[in-house]
Amino acid sequence: MTLSTENPTQTLELQVRLDPAGTPLAIRHDGRIWLVDPAIESRHWIGGDPGLGPRCSAAAGANPAGTEYWRVGARLGSTSALRTFTLRRNPRSVQWLLDDISDGS
C-alpha cells in the first residue's frame, strides 16, 4: 500500500515512540503497533521533498525551523513483512504525520 499513489494529498496522523536521541522506535498506525527494525537503515532529514530524501535538503539539525522527516523500515512482528514508513513532523508540533507506506525497503 502506498498512500502517495492512492491519494497524493492525504496525510494521516499517527503516534511515534522515540528513543532519547529522537530516533523512532515504534509507530502506532491504524490500531497496530509497528516496531522499527534496527537492522534496516533509517533515513532522517530536515526540509526538502520526502520523495527525494536527503539529496535535496539540509543535513539533519542544520535547519531547526524546517520540517523533520524520517524514512524507516518497520514490522508488526519478527515474522511479518517489512513496510517502509515516511514520517513527517513540523518542529512546532508534537504530532507526527504519515506521508507514505510502501512494501519493503
Side-chain angles (χ1 to χ4, degrees):
M1 175 177 131
T2 301
L3 293 175
S4 59
T5 301
E6 294 171 8
N7 190 349
T9 62
Q10 180 180 10
T11 55
L12 301 173
E13 293 183 9
L14 65 158
Q15 295 174 322
V16 179
R17 183 174 184 180
L18 305 172
D19 70 11
T23 303
L25 295 173
I27 302 160
R28 181 183 298 270
H29 169 64
D30 200 24
R32 295 177 166 177
I33 296 176
W34 295 80
L35 300 176
V36 175
D37 188 335
I40 305 298
E41 183 179 353
S42 296
R43 293 196 294 167
H44 180 231
W45 68 97
I46 304 295
D49 183 326
L52 299 177
R55 295 185 308 243
C56 69
S57 59
N63 181 1
T67 301
E68 179 179 11
Y69 292 92
W70 279 93
R71 185 163 295 137
V72 298
R75 302 176 189 276
L76 286 172
S78 60
T79 60
S80 72
L82 179 71
R83 300 288 187 260
T84 300
F85 288 74
T86 303
L87 312 171
R88 171 172 48 99
R89 178 174 67 169
N90 183 299
R92 293 174 213 85
S93 173
V94 296
Q95 181 61 57
W96 286 91
L97 300 172
L98 175 64
D99 277 352
D100 182 72
I101 299 175
S102 59
D103 293 335
S105 56

